[in-house]
Amino acid sequence: DDAALAGEFLRRTAIGYPNVADTSAAAREVFHRKYQTIRGQSAMPLNYLIDREGRVAAAWYGYKKGDSRGEKLLRRLIGAP
């Protein structure tokens, strides 16, 4: 929501991939139309779990505190109990 704050975070954490900060009404419309899975719930972030061969092993939308889906999938990939 704040391009300056986002830019500072990207610099501080050395994020090197392209990012776009657009707070325009048009951008908000695209977000709400395209990235809302259930009314009022964001489909962002989109999470990917990549295997050792560089293939997408799993992908899912959203974040929920305490969700262990990523950890469980990673354990399955490495064969850990």
Side-chain angles (χ1 to χ4, degrees):
D1 294 336
D2 183 324
L5 185 61
E8 174 56 31
F9 172 79
L10 295 171
R11 282 186 292 283
R12 190 175 66 246
T13 57
I15 300 295
Y17 50 82
N19 287 268
V20 176
D22 185 349
T23 59
S24 69
R28 284 192 303 275
E29 170 61 25
V30 168
F31 172 78
H32 290 295
R33 184 172 22 87
K34 190 170 182 180
Y35 295 106
Q36 295 287 316
T37 53
I38 300 172
R39 180 174 272 241
Q41 294 187 8
S42 175
M44 304 271 257
L46 174 55
N47 305 280
Y48 290 101
L49 186 58
I50 310 297
D51 70 12
R52 291 180 179 161
E53 284 76 41
R55 297 177 301 216
V56 175
W60 65 95
Y61 284 111
Y63 168 79
K64 187 166 98 175
K65 189 172 183 174
D67 184 2
S68 61
R69 178 180 358 198
E71 183 179 339
K72 288 176 183 175
L73 290 166
L74 184 57
R75 286 182 181 280
R76 189 182 78 215
L77 276 177
I78 64 172

